Amino acid sequence: MESLLIGSLHKPSFPVTAQISSLPIGSNVAAHGLKCKAFKNADKLYAMPMRLQLKRQNLMQLNAGNTIITLNPKRGSNSKFIVNSASGQSIESEPPSKSTQRSVQNAFDAFYRFSRPHTVIGTALSIISVSLLAVEKLSDVSPLFLAGVLEAIVASLLMNIYIVGLNQLSDIEIDKVNKPYLPLASGEYSVTTGVMIVSSFAILSFLLGWLVGSWPLFCALFVSFVLGTAYSINLPLLRWKRFAVVAAMCILAVRAVIVQIAFYLHVQMYVYGRPAVFAKPVVFATAFMSFFSVVIALFKDIPDIAGDKIYGIQSFTVRLGQEKVFWICISLLEMAYVVALFVGATSSCTWSKWTTVIGHTLLGLLLWNRAKSVDLTSKTAITSFYMFIWKVTL
């Protein structure tokens, strides 16, 4: 406001002081006592070169954009001038609709980061792909099939958010070092808010699984709940993430075994009403995802070495070093692609054979080429490559 009053005056012949105290946005300036003090000789005002001519009147107005500022001179010993803002909206004000929209966007962004979206996407894609393995003919892709897959995805994502949320609640201090952008670590979420979210999502997940009535689905949710809780929660004999081998086994059990077998059985037995027969593609998918799960268990700790060292998390990265664990992960994934290539080559279906062979060959080469360019001294580069692994594998 001060700049509006004296910023447009060219070389004034006397100093002007504006006193502005705690003026709310969009308020009437006079209502809050905004005053400008000048020298006693107000006549000098007319000698000042101005861009806008201020006429000698009891009412003088300065138009500043959309803001009309009214100067009412009150004669007194000090010749004080009271400035009134007649604008309907202050220059710095923000429309309520935009403010609400910004609040909604911030809330969505915080929850997006809290949910760890790469795990959400990975879980959804895994369930869809393993469910399709139960499809024997085109007519199997029916509304009943789609409803069964959707039930499995929603229940699993609710449980997934419980697991990743509980891990953040248990690692607030560690995440302040490793992942300060997460809502709990940054202070965007309070502990109470985090507890409410994870509790609500766990209850909703079990409730949906119970209402669906599929025992493979409910068992998958229950085992995921138990292992996810034991992995993160800081209680005696628990917090298994402290132990590298046990932590890797937890992730392997959920990602490679539970997701593959339980959700296949959900579609095979509950949706189609067929006996539990494991076809060759199911066995292959389970074996491939076992490699992937081990890699995820190892790789996720590479960029987090600083915080893990401080708080005594004995991950493989802390024990062996970042570079060694990095290349172990790359080797395991390349082995998985080679195995997939040979399995595809033995397929009796021509289109499946060539798709599998060519696809996994290209993915293996792409992974190797990208791995050679990763800067292991950069946490950003390592994290980016970790996201890349999720993409090329799923």
Side-chain angles (χ1 to χ4, degrees):
M1 185 64 75
E2 183 177 3
S3 62
L4 288 176
L5 296 177
I6 52 179
S8 61
L9 305 182
H10 180 69
K11 297 182 180 180
S13 57
F14 63 94
V16 180
T17 303
Q19 296 179 344
I20 302 177
S21 59
S22 302
L23 180 62
I25 294 175
S27 62
N28 189 299
V29 182
H32 296 274
L34 177 61
K35 299 182 178 180
C36 291
K37 294 184 178 180
F39 282 126
K40 294 180 179 180
N41 187 5
D43 291 336
K44 291 184 179 180
L45 180 64
Y46 297 97
M48 297 170 54
M50 309 171 114
R51 295 171 63 183
L52 298 174
Q53 296 297 324
L54 299 179
K55 296 182 180 180
R56 174 175 291 189
Q57 295 175 355
N58 287 338
L59 183 62
M60 292 182 294
Q61 294 183 329
L62 175 63
N63 189 337
N66 292 327
T67 303
I68 303 298
I69 301 174
T70 304
L71 302 179
N72 290 330
K74 278 191 175 180
R75 294 300 178 184
S77 58
N78 293 327
S79 296
K80 296 180 180 179
F81 290 83
I82 299 177
V83 183
N84 298 315
S85 175
S87 172
Q89 179 181 347
S90 171
I91 292 175
E92 296 181 358
S93 66
E94 186 177 68
S97 59
K98 289 187 177 181
S99 178
T100 302
Q101 183 180 4
R102 187 180 300 277
S103 298
V104 172
Q105 289 176 343
N106 290 340
F108 177 80
D109 177 67
F111 183 76
Y112 179 81
R113 284 177 280 119
F114 181 80
S115 67
R116 309 296 281 146
H118 63 282
T119 65
V120 170
I121 296 171
T123 299
L125 290 178
S126 295
I127 293 173
I128 292 172
S129 63
V130 77
S131 297
L132 288 172
L133 295 179
V135 175
E136 296 178 355
K137 51 186 181 296
L138 188 60
S139 60
D140 286 344
V141 184
S142 62
L144 181 64
F145 168 79
L146 297 177
V149 173
L150 182 61
E151 290 167 347
I153 290 175
V154 174
S156 299
L157 294 188
L158 292 171
M159 184 57 67
N160 187 89
I161 292 175
Y162 160 77
I163 292 172
V164 297
L166 180 65
N167 187 52
Q168 292 174 62
L169 281 169
S170 304
D171 285 355
I172 293 177
E173 296 303 320
I174 299 177
D175 286 340
K176 287 180 180 179
V177 178
N178 292 336
K179 303 180 183 76
Y181 55 85
L182 294 178
L184 284 166
S186 66
E188 293 173 83
Y189 282 176
S190 65
V191 174
T192 302
T193 300
V195 170
M196 290 177 61
I197 292 175
V198 298
S199 301
S200 300
F201 275 70
I203 292 171
L204 289 173
S205 178
F206 279 125
L207 180 61
L208 180 57
W210 181 262
L211 292 175
V212 169
S214 168
W215 73 261
L217 174 59
F218 192 85
C219 287
L221 297 175
F222 180 76
V223 174
S224 299
F225 173 83
V226 171
L227 293 179
T229 302
Y231 178 87
S232 297
I233 198 166
N234 194 7
L235 292 176
L237 303 180
L238 298 180
R239 195 164 173 78
W240 293 350
K241 67 179 298 178
R242 294 176 297 170
F243 314 107
V245 176
V246 180
M249 294 302 296
C250 284
I251 296 175
L252 187 148
V254 174
R255 290 284 172 189
V257 180
I258 300 301
V259 171
Q260 304 302 312
I261 295 178
F263 291 106
Y264 171 79
L265 293 177
H266 166 69
V267 176
Q268 180 79 354
M269 300 176 66
Y270 171 73
V271 176
Y272 292 142
R274 299 168 182 166
V277 177
F278 294 100
K280 179 181 176 181
V282 179
V283 176
F284 166 72
T286 304
F288 185 88
M289 289 305 295
S290 297
F291 278 91
F292 173 70
S293 300
V294 172
V295 169
I296 291 301
L298 296 176
F299 204 102
K300 71 179 186 60
D301 295 324
I302 295 178
D304 296 341
I305 187 171
D308 289 348
K309 281 183 176 180
I310 294 172
Y311 291 95
I313 304 297
Q314 294 299 311
S315 64
F316 280 110
T317 303
V318 172
R319 294 181 176 185
L320 304 177
Q322 287 179 302
E323 184 174 1
K324 185 173 291 187
V325 173
F326 177 86
W327 287 108
I328 288 175
C329 292
I330 300 303
S331 300
L332 288 173
L333 277 179
E334 293 293 352
M335 288 172 58
Y337 284 131
V338 170
V339 171
L341 189 153
F342 282 107
V343 170
T346 62
S347 175
S348 58
C349 179
T350 303
W351 71 266
S352 177
K353 176 188 296 185
W354 287 110
T355 300
T356 306
V357 170
I358 295 174
H360 286 91
T361 300
L362 292 177
L363 287 174
L365 292 174
L366 181 63
L367 177 71
W368 183 261
N369 183 65
R370 177 74 180 269
K372 291 190 297 182
S373 63
V374 176
D375 180 8
L376 294 179
T377 63
S378 170
K379 183 176 180 178
T380 302
I382 297 173
T383 303
S384 175
F385 187 77
Y386 177 60
M387 295 296 105
F388 173 76
I389 289 177
W390 278 87
K391 294 175 184 177
V392 298
T393 304
L394 295 177

